Amino acid sequence: MTNLLNRLPLVGALAPAMTRSGGAPTAEEVIAERYRERTDPRPGDWAYAHLLDLRLALAEQLAGATGRWLDFGAGTSPYRDLLPGARLETAEMRGGEDLTADHELDEDGLSGLPDGSFDGVLSTQVLEHVTDPDTHLREALRLLRPGGRLVLSTHGVWEEHGGQDLWRWTADGLAAQAERSGFTVDRAVKLTCGPRGLLLLLRYHGRQHGWPAGGPVGLLLRTLTLADRLRPRLVDDYLDRVFADRGRVEGPTEPFYLDILLTATKPGVPEKPERHAT
């Protein structure tokens, strides 16, 4: 938990709490704000555009989901409301954010659940933190029934965060890894692309670290940070007005993106060849 508290930008709803208490937020306040940012992203939040794009893409892919689903590495399971027609269960390692998960994962991220237990597996922003991504993907495959769906998101370009943070992918690389693990990939959608992602990162760096003075570039960046401090939603309103179409992109047209949403299917059981009488 120490790493989480040290790395999470303390903005938005946490600022009033910090002012009142005169100190750092509690673990409960940090987790509550993380949950709020993902369930209700608002202009002015530190990663609004990214979290909005992710939520909209997940809503699109999870629409109409039914049956039994597993939120695999759930944390606080902030996207459970996107599966109203499904029976969602959660799985988390001991010591994770969600202390009331339905199923406990062992130190390798494996569960003791039977093969083919679920119609769908949801894995959001987990893969970059696991020691062995192939183990995570193969466990998801094992837990799915034949024809079951995997909906998974992970980072393309992003800062190190959240303690153990080991991996980043391209859209093609993530699809290739899922196929090597046994999945049939349906889509790999790039999220928060091009200038939408670049400007978000510039604004974020200014909030966290500021910019050194010197020269016209330094002046421009410091002006951006000052404008952001005075009107926190200014950049986000601009991104939504001008670059909303870069929120979700498929194909090679956008080589820079903050996140990837992959959807894949567990292949069905091969049909047995008919035996002909001799």
Side-chain angles (χ1 to χ4, degrees):
M1 186 61 69
T2 301
N3 284 334
L4 171 62
L5 291 171
N6 287 341
R7 288 178 176 273
L8 185 70
L10 303 176
V11 297
L14 288 182
M18 291 178 65
T19 301
R20 289 193 301 271
S21 65
T26 65
E28 290 74 16
E29 288 172 327
V30 171
I31 291 173
E33 180 64 359
R34 281 169 55 88
Y35 182 80
R36 197 282 301 164
E37 288 170 342
R38 286 151 181 77
T39 56
D40 180 27
R42 302 168 189 168
D45 288 348
W46 70 283
Y48 159 78
H50 167 52
L51 293 176
L52 177 67
D53 296 341
L54 175 59
R55 186 169 183 85
L56 291 175
L58 285 168
E60 181 181 276
Q61 293 305 313
L62 295 172
T66 59
R68 188 183 182 195
W69 278 68
L70 180 69
D71 196 339
F72 187 25
T76 55
S77 195
Y79 301 110
R80 61 168 56 249
D81 63 308
L82 301 180
L83 295 116
R87 187 170 84 256
L88 183 66
E89 301 171 27
T90 57
E92 182 59 90
M93 297 178 71
R94 184 182 296 274
E97 292 175 8
D98 185 358
L99 304 180
T100 60
D102 299 305
H103 308 286
E104 184 177 321
L105 303 174
D106 67 19
E107 61 182 12
D108 296 317
L110 304 176
S111 76
L113 293 162
D115 295 358
S117 295
F118 296 95
D119 299 287
V121 168
L122 175 66
S123 172
T124 57
Q125 313 309 106
V126 175
L127 198 64
E128 67 268 22
H129 298 293
V130 303
T131 302
D132 185 349
D134 188 60
T135 296
H136 184 82
L137 288 165
R138 289 187 183 277
E139 179 69 354
L141 185 77
R142 183 186 72 79
L143 291 171
L144 284 169
R145 63 167 178 78
R149 294 181 62 216
L150 171 70
V151 178
L152 178 147
S153 68
T154 189
H155 285 301
V157 176
W158 199 251
E159 67 160 14
E160 292 183 17
H161 62 282
Q164 174 173 286
D165 187 1
L166 301 175
W167 314 103
R168 295 293 182 269
W169 281 269
T170 64
D172 288 344
L174 182 61
Q177 179 134 27
E179 289 174 347
R180 285 195 300 270
S181 298
F183 283 98
T184 299
V185 172
D186 302 315
R187 300 176 70 185
V189 182
K190 301 172 182 178
L191 304 179
T192 320
C193 304
R196 186 171 173 87
L198 285 166
L199 190 52
L200 183 155
L201 293 178
L202 282 174
R203 190 269 303 275
Y204 170 69
H205 184 90
R207 283 188 178 184
Q208 289 297 100
H209 309 291
W211 297 99
V217 175
L219 177 62
L220 181 63
L221 291 171
R222 288 165 68 88
T223 301
L224 172 64
T225 299
L226 176 61
D228 177 57
R229 185 176 300 138
L230 295 173
R231 190 166 182 266
R233 62 178 295 156
L234 181 70
V235 172
D236 293 324
D237 288 343
Y238 174 73
L239 292 179
D240 280 347
R241 185 174 66 254
V242 180
F243 297 115
D245 62 330
R246 310 291 178 90
R248 289 171 284 166
V249 177
E250 289 187 73
T253 57
E254 284 293 349
F256 180 89
Y257 40 93
L258 302 188
D259 214 81
I260 308 154
L261 181 66
L262 179 133
T263 56
T265 305
K266 179 175 181 175
V269 178
E271 296 182 5
K272 295 182 179 178
E274 295 183 6
R275 297 183 64 182
H276 297 283
T278 56

